[in-house]
């Protein structure tokens, strides 16, 4: 490996954080020679309890996961394809992002759930409960924790999986992201220890002596403009009619757009949300199909009342929300799942560079997703994640 290739793969955050041992990070171009070897060099060689790989859809996913198994035979390795990566320069393309959790500070238990098309919620609950109990007993001094999910972003089963896992966690904070395929929406993959699957999800339960804060944020403000879903195919997340009119045409009318010009930017700029009490949850639109129907990223059903939402300034809002995570002390690391629609909006509004600057300044690493999970919910147009605050080996806050 030449020095130029090695330097290209270095992530300054990994080395800056090594003294705190909160979360080790590295990145490498997906087409670099032996990119997994490059990542291992940058991460260092201390034993890991868990390794996460966020892999560009342009990469050879099978080769990368197989090589990771060779390099990390005693570590649980979770991997998924992305809709873009979040690394040293904020928004990245064509990269592999590696996140390492050192064994001295973390303990992890990982499960693959498959096939999602025939999911049995009780079986999922039982397996997660058993794994969680064993994890707590293994290191009772690791009092804090979180659960993290990678799931096939084209499975249409993220809602059921998230609710089943959350029901079994006994209050452990839970978040995740749906694997992506850039903007192609063709095929997405997840992997656990070299086992590659579609129609599957992989959950990692993690415990640590570090302090943990799981979060979810979005910059959308629901308006008074409402639409009622009057005909839908919930299993396929398809809305056929809104207000008893063809769905795409009626959505375009409500948001003041030409129905022939609907595209991902319009969907990103004019998402719809469901109000539940005082909160709202986005139901983002993926595309218009050949029948003029709206295909959604998350659960949809007849009778659902949708409020059109308008975005606040993405850059300002993101900076404000990430700054709140440092209100009492600075996190040592932030791992995040960020919706593809936020990346699309940033690009179309010429904000991508500024958003990347905010992500870099706050030390965020992660990937762009086809959907996010927070607790029992599968949501869209959000960022979900975990902020980790360092404690020393005796449990003292740094």
């Amino acid at each position: 490996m030449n020095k130029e290739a090695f330097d290209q793969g270095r992530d300054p955050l990994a080395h800056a954080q090594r003294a705190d041992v909160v979360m080790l990070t590295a990145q490498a171009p997906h087409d670099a020679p032996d990119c997994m070897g490059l990542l291992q060099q940058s991460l260092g060689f201390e034993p890991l309890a868990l390794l996460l790989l966020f892999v560009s859809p342009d990469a050879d996913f099978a080769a990368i996961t197989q090589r990771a198994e060779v390099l990390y035979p005693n570590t649980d390795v979770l991997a998924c394809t992305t809709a873009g990566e979040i690394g040293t320069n904020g928004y990245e393309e064509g990269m592999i992002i590696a996140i390492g959790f050192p064994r001295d500070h973390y303990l992890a238990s990982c499960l693959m759930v498959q096939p999602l098309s025939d999911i049995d919620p009780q079986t999922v609950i039982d397996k997660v409960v058993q794994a969680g109990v064993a994890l707590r007993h293994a290191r009772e001094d690791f009092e804090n924790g979180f659960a993290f999910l990678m799931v096939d972003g084209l499975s249409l089963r993220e809602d059921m999986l998230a609710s089943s896992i959350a029901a079994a966690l006994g209050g452990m904070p839970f978040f995740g992201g749906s694997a992506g395929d850039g903007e192609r929406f063709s095929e997405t993959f997840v992997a656990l220890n070299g086992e590659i699957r579609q129609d599957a999800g992989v959950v990692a339960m993690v415990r640590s002596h570090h302090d943990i804060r799981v979060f979810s944020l979005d910059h959308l403000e629901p308006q008074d403009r409402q639409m009622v879903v009057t005909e839908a195919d919930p299993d396929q997340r398809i809305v056929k009619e809104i207000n008893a009119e063809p769905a795409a045409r009626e959505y375009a009318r409500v948001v003041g757009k030409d129905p022939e010009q609907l595209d991902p930017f319009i969907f990103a700029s004019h998402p719809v949300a469901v109000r539940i009490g005082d909160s709202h949850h986005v139901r983002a639109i993926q595309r218009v199909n050949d029948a003029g129907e709206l295909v959604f990223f998350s659960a949809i059903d007849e009778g659902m009342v949708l409020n059109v939402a308008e975005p606040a300034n993405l850059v300002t809002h993101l900076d404000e929300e990430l700054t709140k995570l440092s209100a009492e002390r600075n996190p040592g690391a932030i791992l995040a799942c960020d919706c593809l629609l936020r990346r699309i909006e940033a690009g179309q509004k010429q904000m991508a560079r500024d958003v990347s600057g905010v992500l870099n300044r706050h030390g965020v690493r992660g990937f762009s997703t086809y959907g996010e999970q927070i607790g029992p919910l599968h949501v869209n147009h959000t960022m979900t994640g975990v902020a980790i605050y360092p404690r020393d080996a005796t449990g003292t806050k740094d």
Side-chain angles (χ1 to χ4, degrees), residues 52-287:
L52 306 178
L53 298 175
F54 305 125
V55 182
S56 165
D58 297 325
D60 186 335
F61 190 71
I64 289 165
T65 53
Q66 290 166 10
R67 178 65 171 150
E69 271 299 283
V70 172
L71 296 178
Y72 293 94
N74 301 312
T75 297
D76 278 328
V77 180
L78 278 65
C80 70
T81 54
T82 76
E85 303 78 56
I86 301 174
T88 305
N89 300 306
Y91 285 148
E92 305 273 15
E93 295 283 353
M95 303 295 288
I96 303 170
I97 307 296
I99 309 291
F101 295 87
R103 193 169 296 165
D104 286 347
H105 300 266
Y106 297 91
L107 193 65
S109 179
C110 302
L111 297 170
M112 180 173 288
V113 182
Q114 60 170 334
L116 299 183
S117 54
D118 190 27
I119 189 173
D120 177 8
Q122 190 58 53
T123 298
V124 174
I125 290 171
D126 291 344
K127 289 182 177 180
V128 172
V129 167
Q130 292 170 8
V133 169
L135 189 65
R136 286 194 297 273
H137 289 166
R139 285 293 300 263
E140 294 184 358
D141 57 320
F142 283 6
E143 299 178 348
N144 304 314
F146 65 92
F148 173 68
L149 177 66
M150 292 178 175
V151 57
D152 181 345
L154 298 176
S155 67
L156 306 181
R157 295 295 183 269
E158 300 102 307
D159 308 85
M160 179 65 76
L161 181 60
S163 63
S164 299
I165 292 172
L169 288 172
M172 176 182 279
F174 172 43
F175 77 102
S178 301
D181 181 30
E183 296 184 30
R184 295 186 288 260
F185 301 99
S186 177
E187 56 182 8
T188 65
F189 298 95
V190 298
L192 173 61
N193 298 333
E195 182 181 349
I196 300 171
R197 290 289 183 268
Q198 295 177 296
D199 192 30
V202 182
V203 60
M205 287 163 281
V206 182
R207 297 194 71 85
S208 176
H209 63 86
H210 292 313
D211 290 328
I212 303 294
R213 180 178 174 184
V214 167
F215 65 91
S216 176
L217 61 89
D218 72 73
H219 65 304
L220 304 174
E221 300 173 353
Q223 307 297 303
D224 292 333
R225 288 175 290 169
Q226 293 185 337
M227 301 177 285
V228 179
V229 178
T230 49
E231 185 178 354
D233 180 350
D235 289 341
Q236 298 300 314
R237 298 178 179 167
I238 293 174
V239 171
K240 299 181 178 182
E241 288 187 359
I242 292 174
N243 300 337
E245 297 289 342
R249 189 174 71 194
E250 180 65 2
Y251 166 81
R253 184 192 69 80
V254 172
V255 300
K257 300 296 180 180
D258 182 345
E260 301 300 321
Q261 302 299 317
L262 295 179
D263 61 16
F265 173 60
I266 291 177
F267 299 144
S269 300
H270 303 280
V272 294
V274 179
R275 287 188 182 273
I276 302 177
D278 294 331
S279 62
H280 66 274
H281 302 284
V282 177
R283 293 293 185 264
I285 302 167
Q286 181 190 123
R287 59 186 173 87

Side-chain angles (χ1 to χ4, degrees), residues 325-336:
L325 297 175
S326 303
E328 296 182 4
R329 58 191 174 116
N330 293 329
I334 298 175
L335 169 64

Side-chain angles (χ1 to χ4, degrees), residues 16-23 105 210 332 390-391 398:
Q17 290 180 337
R18 194 172 299 280
D20 292 335
V21 201
V22 171
M23 189 176 85
H105 300 266
H210 292 313
R391 286 174 177 256
D398 290 349

